[in-house]
Structures are given as structure tokens and as C-alpha cells.
Amino acid sequence: METIKLLIIGSGPAGYTAGIYAGRAGLNPVILEGLQPGGQLTITTEVENFPGYPEGVDANEMMDDIRKQAERFGADIRSNIVTKADLDQRPYRFTLDDGSEVAAHSVIIATGASAKFLGLSDEEKYRGVGVSACATCDGFFYRKKVVAVVGGGDTACEEASYLSGLAEKVYLIVRKPFLRASKAMQDRVFENPKIEVLFETNTEGLYGEGGVEGAHLVHRRGEADERRYDLPIDGFFLAIGHKPNSDLFAKWLKLDENGYIMTEGATPRTGVEGVFAAGDVADPLYRQAITAAAAGCKAAIEAQRYIQENGF
């Protein structure tokens, strides 16, 4: 079995940045890219809010730049997926999708969080060309346009409020006859003249040539007064939550009620010695590329200190 100093699981901004710092520290880190090299950011078209790109940059191009930087400093980037973890014994052991095993003295978990989608085939068809799961990331592209947000909780209300500062009109599509959001968030939505709430409404599909031009909606589905209609929109935002990719480590790490890895204070430490968490898998609040990259930096510095102190 191969034994290494540091294993980084995940390849988004957190994983690659951790690889840059760990590589420069001489740790010869191994990064496992997983199913989505570059992380969730690669489903976005253009990134305009990451420092260093004044004119904006294609998301895949940006992640490839960060990947190359990690490789430059000695990160060994592999396309494997972890299928089994064992944090009971040290060095920690992992089984990969090709059947091989690797042991690591220190681990950075940067597996991210996956946005929840409705399950419509059209969501995949228009992903990046009208469908988004991040208003903060993509809202700028819908200035003076008409958009819809799906969801009825705090996140959906917050996304709708944010988008109302950019878009001409925001529809909030809610399948229930009420909002689940806090009273303060509900008040903010109801008092905003640019937001219209569509209660008891479900999305059954999207349409458009080359991008989203509208949504197929149904009001009070299955009821006697059911009504189906098309709503012209330019953008469709999902705000029904994220699922952190933490299941593999649930036996050993503390998770919050939604599955996010809980770290100690402002550090990336998980409570298991030598195991750190960075990026969206441990961040239910911000979920931005820049905050994930910062967390990857902190995790790598912590890992370097741990490895040095223990003489690995």
C-alpha cells in the first residue's frame, strides 16, 4: 500500500489551493480529482468575481489555471474517486475506485457540496445557459432581465432579494401555499415590488433556443382548478438547498443537521487529528470560490504544521 504525507480529496478551489500551499511546503500532496475535476464551479460559464481576472474568465479556464499552479509546485493530481475511508487507524486508509489503496498521515477533505435540482431533464440541458444554482455567482449576467427563483426557504428568499437588485423582475416559485423562510426574510420579499411570489406552483420544464426563454408551470397541480401556463423568463435559479458530499466521513466526523462537516472555531480542524475540511463541504453559509480557496490555504498550513510536529 502506498503511504503519503498528505492526501487532498477534491479538486475545486479548496482542493487545488490546498495543493498549491502543500506543494510549496514540500509535502508532495496527492490530489484526488473525483467525478468533477475543477469542482462545482465548472458548471458555471463565466466567473467575474474572482480576484485577478478584471475582465472575467471562463470557469473551466480558471480552474485549469489553478490546477496547473498546483502541479507546478509538485502536487500529484489523480483522477481517482475514494470509495471507502478508514479513519480508525493511522496512517488513515482509503480505497479508490480502481481497487487500489492509499494511506495518508494527514488528510484534507475538500469534496464540496452539490446543489439540489428538481430532476428535470431541461435543467441539465440549460445548465450554464440560463439555469444556475448560485445567484451570487451568476446574477450579474441577468441585469435588467427577468428571472425566476425556485424555493421557499431562507436561501430562496435571500437569492430572490439579491437578484432583485440586478434584474428587472424576479418570480419566486413556491410549491407550497406558504414560505418556510424566517419572518424577517418573508417581510423582505413581500415588501419588495420587484419580487412576485407564485405560490402552489411547480415547474414542469423549461424552453428556449440556445438558452432559457421561459418555464412551463402548473398552478395547484392535481386540483380542480389546476392551471398550466408558460412564464417567459431569461434565467432560472435553483435555491432548494445543497447536499454536502460528506457521507463517506460521517462515521468519524461531526456533521451538522444538514451534513456539513463541523470544524473547530475558525480553523479547518475536524476534531480528528490530522484531518481537515475545507471549502463547501464545511461551509453552509458563503459557498463562494474565493472563500473555498481561502479555506484550502488554511487547511494546507494546518496540515503542514501537523506533519512537521509529528515528524512524518
Side-chain angles (χ1 to χ4, degrees):
M1 182 187 297
E2 179 185 15
T3 301
I4 60 176
K5 289 183 179 180
L6 175 62
L7 179 66
I8 301 170
I9 307 172
S11 59
Y16 284 155
T17 301
I20 292 170
Y21 276 79
R24 292 184 76 247
L27 301 183
N28 302 310
V30 171
I31 299 177
L32 302 182
E33 288 190 306
L35 287 170
Q36 197 171 44
Q40 187 178 228
L41 194 69
T42 57
I43 67 174
T44 301
T45 48
E46 190 172 0
V47 177
E48 293 196 325
N49 57 2
F50 198 91
Y53 297 96
E55 302 302 321
V57 61
D58 176 81
N60 286 276
E61 181 184 334
M62 186 183 90
M63 292 313 303
D64 192 47
D65 285 345
I66 302 175
R67 184 186 194 276
K68 289 174 181 175
Q69 195 170 357
E71 283 186 308
R72 176 190 165 203
F73 291 115
D76 179 356
I77 302 176
R78 305 177 187 180
S79 60
N80 297 95
I81 300 164
V82 175
T83 57
K84 184 180 179 182
D86 182 1
L87 304 184
D88 284 326
Q89 56 182 317
R90 299 187 207 175
Y92 304 118
R93 300 189 176 196
F94 302 88
T95 302
L96 309 185
D97 56 332
D98 61 2
S100 63
E101 295 184 317
V102 61
H105 292 295
S106 186
V107 183
I108 294 175
I109 300 168
T111 46
S114 302
K116 294 179 182 177
F117 285 78
L118 296 173
L120 306 173
S121 60
D122 290 336
E123 289 173 313
E124 189 62 40
K125 176 181 178 181
Y126 294 109
R127 189 178 293 194
V129 285
V131 171
S132 171
C134 181
T136 323
C137 308
D138 300 324
F140 181 81
F141 302 110
Y142 297 91
R143 293 182 69 184
K144 307 301 181 185
K145 295 186 178 182
V146 179
V147 299
V149 176
V150 178
D154 279 336
T155 299
C157 289
E158 195 167 324
E159 300 269 271
S161 296
Y162 174 81
L163 288 167
S164 72
L166 299 166
E168 177 184 305
K169 172 83 173 181
V170 180
Y171 291 100
L172 184 59
I173 302 172
V174 186
R175 63 186 178 88
K176 295 182 180 295
F178 57 86
L179 292 174
R180 293 179 292 103
S182 64
K183 178 67 164 55
M185 288 304 301
Q186 289 189 44
D187 290 344
R188 190 185 303 177
V189 165
F190 291 138
E191 292 169 5
N192 191 322
K194 295 177 73 175
I195 300 176
E196 181 178 342
V197 184
L198 305 177
F199 286 114
E200 296 185 87
T201 301
N202 288 273
T203 306
E204 296 201 325
L206 302 168
Y207 63 89
E209 293 293 328
V212 170
E213 294 177 8
H216 301 300
L217 304 182
V218 56
H219 179 245
R220 290 179 56 81
R221 184 166 59 190
E223 301 297 327
D225 58 349
E226 174 183 288
R227 181 170 69 95
R228 294 173 181 273
Y229 63 100
D230 288 346
L231 180 71
I233 55 173
D234 303 295
F236 187 76
F237 289 82
L238 280 301
I240 53 177
H242 285 72
K243 185 185 185 307
N245 303 316
S246 60
D247 291 353
L248 203 60
F249 313 101
K251 178 181 175 182
W252 301 277
L253 307 182
K254 292 180 181 178
L255 308 180
D256 72 8
E257 59 183 6
N258 295 311
Y260 287 93
I261 296 175
M262 300 176 69
T263 56
E264 298 179 347
T267 79
R269 295 192 291 268
T270 64
V272 176
E273 282 193 21
V275 178
F276 309 95
D280 287 11
V281 73
D283 178 13
L285 189 57
Y286 300 107
R287 296 195 300 268
Q288 297 298 302
I290 190 66
T291 52
C297 160
K298 292 194 290 185
I301 291 172
E302 289 280 356
Q304 190 269 333
R305 289 172 179 166
Y306 172 79
I307 289 168
Q308 188 175 46
E309 289 170 1
N310 287 275
F312 295 131

